[in-house]
Each structure stands twice: as C-alpha cells, then as structure tokens.
Amino acid sequence: MFKRSVTFVTRDDSDMAEKAARWGDLHEFGDMAWLPQLRKVIYREDDRVAIKTVGDGLNDHLGFRSNPTAPLISGRVTMELLEKNINAIARCKAANATVSLFETVAYGFTNNGSMFTGYPVVGFQHQIQASGACLGSQEDALLTSCAWDPRIRGTFFYTNGYSIALSRVPAFIADMQQLRDRSPLSFCGIDASVGMLLRYVKASSAYLGKPEDSIDFDISYYRSYSKGEPNPHYDVLDELQQMALHKYSAIPHWGKNRNFAFEGTMAKHPKADKFLEVKQRYDPDGIFSSEWSDQVLGINGSPAIFEKHCAIEGMCICSDDSHCAPEEGYYCLPGKVYTDARVCSFQPAF
C-alpha cells in the first residue's frame, strides 16, 4: 500500500514529440492524452508520495460510471448522425464539448471520494490506479446502465492499440501531426474519446514482451452497428495505424485491434520461436489453441480476410476497390502522408 499524487495539466502540442520521449522518466505513473484536432495534450503528473501525505482521493472515471439509460441511447443516435456528416464541423463541436466536460469534472477524480476540490489528488494506489464503478452498480430494470451494456443501443467503438519503440516515437508523432494538419476534422473522433492515450511500457524479457522501452498508443473511435458501413473519416485513421505498424514497426496490442494489424506480428518478437517451443511443450494437443490464435501466432493461415468490404471492417488492407465500398463512393487509394498505406477514401461524384 502506498499513496500517489495526481495532477492533470493541459498544454498545446507544439513540443509533444520532444516531451513524449522523456515524460515517462519524469513521473513514475505519468502518461499523456493527445487531443489532435484541438492541438492540445493532457499531461498526467502522477507520482508516488509519502504514506502520511494528506488525501483520500478516488479515481471514479466519468466514462466508467453507471448513467441514465435514455441519454446514453439518445447520445448514440446523435453520434450516428454526426459521423455520417462529411463536413464534420458539428461532429468536432460535439467532441470539444465532451473534452470540456471531462476537464471540468477532473476526469472523474475526487479528493475525498465524492468531491473534487483541486489538484493534486492524493490517494491510495488501489483507489487511483483503476476505475470501474459501473460494474458494482445496482440493477434497476435498466433505468441506468453502463455505456457499453449490450442490452441497450449505447456506445460502440473500435479500439486500436500498438507499441512503438521509444527511440522511434518522436518521428512517429511528427508524422501524425503532419497527417492531422492535412485532415484536421477527421481527427475529431479521437478527441471525442478524450484523446489518444500514450502509456509507457518497459522492455521485458518475456518471450512475447516488448523488446525495447516503448510507448503504447491507445485509440478509441466510433464504430457503426451496421457491418460494412463506410465512414468518411476512417481513411485517415486507417492510414495512421498502417503507418505505425509498417513504417515504425509497431507491435499490436493482443486484444485491441482488428484483423489486419496482426499480419506478420510474430516476426516483430525476437523470442517468438522460444514462445512457440514452450507452447508446444505445455499444450502439445492444442487444447488452448483456436483457428484464430493459430493465425495470429503464424502457425497456420493468416488473420487477414479478403472479401467484399473487408477493409471497411479492418479485416484486410485494401488492394482492390471491392474491398472498400465503390458503390457508395469509397475507393482504395494511397495515404495522404504515408503513401504506402492503402485506405478506403471517399471520392465525391462530380
């Protein structure tokens, strides 16, 4: 048991690339959240403090609380309408309002378990590290619910996660900012999730661990309930991920990605062969294996699936217009900054 002191500071992102390379060394539990369209970064100053430091703080994250069901459903309906708007101005204004709300309530942190009175928030490790109040909320015939509850048509999103070696991070951030400058409105979907989270991960000797000190980039953004429905902003987000995976040799998070991200993943782990040896020794009959795990681990087959609209769902990287939605104006084209990327871009009819 120990205590931590947490303060969130928002600054412009002009020196983000430089700061990212050393922020993890300045604060034991520090991280960053990039708001690309707003051109801001939320820096988390989070450090271990003496056990006698006054404070009984709590991390009760706003997004992980139980909320009235009706607004969750209506909020999703509004989001669906905004996502289909190619102009995206209203979509960005809604994202800005979400960021302002979270900032106003200190992202759910309180100084005494019920009220936020100012930074720093000091509390015990187990009260600060994680949040999940919704899981313990009472059943009330769905008058309230968790935003992700499958019994309601609430939030539904993609989550992409990948780690990039610390030495390559400044260049990657510079490329991301260049892409943002080319298509700023397309990044509002990241702002709507209160930013792209940058977490620090130490190098590990584990066979499938990170071979170098890295930053893990976590991105959450809107997903349609309708399979194969294109989105006018996905081309930029897909380019971003392909840039990370292929130009900067990012290692995908095992649980936070779509199919195409896992193609060739095992080649990025220098000790992959040792892992497969242990796997074979302890599970020679494949009791704990599946068709999916064999594909991801490079044992048999490929995780990519090539079919009509496959790139829309992230099942493949497009190589043909049919992998997108040409009947709706979406074609397989090169990326704007990372031109080796192949993404489904909307091309208006003239």
Side-chain angles (χ1 to χ4, degrees), residues 6-197:
V6 182
T7 298
F8 289 98
V9 179
T10 301
R11 302 189 180 102
D12 70 72
D13 68 358
S14 58
D15 61 349
M16 176 186 169
E18 176 188 347
K19 270 193 166 60
R22 52 191 176 86
W23 189 253
D25 291 327
L26 298 177
H27 300 282
E28 183 178 1
F29 301 98
D31 61 35
M32 304 163 58
W34 183 40
L35 303 167
Q37 198 274 328
L38 287 173
R39 298 174 180 268
K40 294 181 179 180
V41 183
I42 305 167
Y43 292 94
R44 178 173 177 149
E45 300 174 352
D46 189 344
D47 294 287
R48 192 182 305 236
V49 293
I51 198 74
K52 293 181 180 180
T53 307
V54 175
D56 191 22
L58 175 68
N59 177 4
D60 188 13
H61 192 279
L62 201 61
F64 300 152
R65 298 177 186 175
S66 180
N67 288 286
T69 300
L72 289 175
I73 295 174
S74 62
R76 172 66 190 194
V77 171
T78 300
M79 183 179 290
E80 289 175 351
L81 294 173
L82 292 174
E83 283 291 329
K84 295 175 184 177
N85 183 356
I86 295 175
N87 183 279
I89 299 290
R91 174 175 174 264
C92 291
K93 288 182 177 179
N96 296 350
T98 298
V99 172
S100 296
L101 171 63
F102 272 76
E103 187 174 25
T104 300
V105 299
Y107 310 96
F109 279 80
T110 60
N111 297 86
N112 58 8
S114 60
M115 184 182 301
F116 174 71
T117 57
Y119 293 120
V121 173
V122 176
F124 283 103
Q125 153 75 358
H126 69 290
Q127 299 279 51
I128 297 294
Q129 176 64 28
S131 175
C134 198
L135 296 177
S137 60
Q138 294 183 347
E139 289 288 348
D140 57 6
L142 286 183
L143 292 175
T144 61
S145 58
C146 304
W148 56 87
D149 193 320
R151 295 173 295 176
I152 68 169
R153 193 179 173 93
T155 187
F156 191 47
F157 53 85
Y158 285 117
T159 300
N160 297 337
Y162 37 82
S163 298
I164 295 179
L166 201 56
S167 59
R168 300 189 186 111
V169 163
F172 175 58
I173 290 177
D175 272 351
M176 286 200 299
Q177 291 176 322
Q178 184 181 352
L179 183 57
R180 183 272 315 276
D181 293 343
R182 293 282 299 273
S183 303
L185 298 182
S186 293
F187 281 82
C188 292
I190 296 177
D191 286 11
S193 298
V194 198
M196 175 191 299
L197 181 63

Side-chain angles (χ1 to χ4, degrees), residues 36 41 50 69 88 91 100-101 105-106 159 200 203-204 210 232 234 282 306 314 324 328 337 341 345 347 350:
V41 183
T69 300
R91 174 175 174 264
S100 296
L101 171 63
V105 299
T159 300
Y200 291 84
S204 170
K210 312 300 180 189
Y234 278 1
Y282 280 91
F306 290 90
C324 299
E328 297 185 53
V337 171
S345 294
Q347 300 295 301
F350 295 102

Side-chain angles (χ1 to χ4, degrees), residues 311-349:
I312 298 294
E313 291 291 327
M315 308 301 285
C316 72
I317 293 176
C318 70
S319 56
D320 185 84
D321 288 337
S322 66
H323 298 153
C324 299
E327 69 280 4
E328 297 185 53
Y330 290 83
Y331 299 90
C332 185
L333 296 171
K336 294 179 173 66
V337 171
Y338 178 54
T339 54
D340 286 347
R342 291 297 178 268
V343 296
C344 297
S345 294
F346 179 72
Q347 300 295 301

Side-chain angles (χ1 to χ4, degrees), residues 173-284:
I173 290 177
D175 272 351
M176 286 200 299
Q177 291 176 322
Q178 184 181 352
L179 183 57
R180 183 272 315 276
D181 293 343
R182 293 282 299 273
S183 303
L185 298 182
S186 293
F187 281 82
C188 292
I190 296 177
D191 286 11
S193 298
V194 198
M196 175 191 299
L197 181 63
L198 280 65
R199 299 183 295 111
Y200 291 84
V201 184
K202 290 293 292 180
S204 170
S205 60
Y207 293 158
L208 295 186
K210 312 300 180 189
E212 300 180 56
D213 288 353
S214 304
I215 289 183
D216 190 271
F217 293 80
D218 286 334
I219 309 172
S220 297
Y221 55 95
Y222 170 90
R223 181 180 184 180
S224 173
Y225 276 105
S226 301
K227 182 180 179 181
E229 180 176 273
N231 186 295
H233 313 292
Y234 278 1
D235 57 343
V236 169
L237 298 176
D238 283 350
E239 179 180 347
L240 193 65
Q241 189 171 16
Q242 290 181 42
M243 180 194 299
L245 292 168
H246 301 143
K247 183 176 180 179
Y248 292 98
S249 300
I251 297 176
H253 188 293
W254 294 112
K256 294 182 178 180
N257 277 296
R258 298 171 295 165
N259 287 45
F260 80 80
F262 296 107
E263 189 75 50
T265 293
M266 292 297 277
K268 298 178 180 180
H269 292 279
K271 299 179 181 179
D273 57 337
K274 294 184 178 180
F275 170 82
L276 294 176
E277 288 175 11
V278 173
K279 175 186 178 301
Q280 178 62 27
R281 188 162 72 245
Y282 280 91
D283 186 25

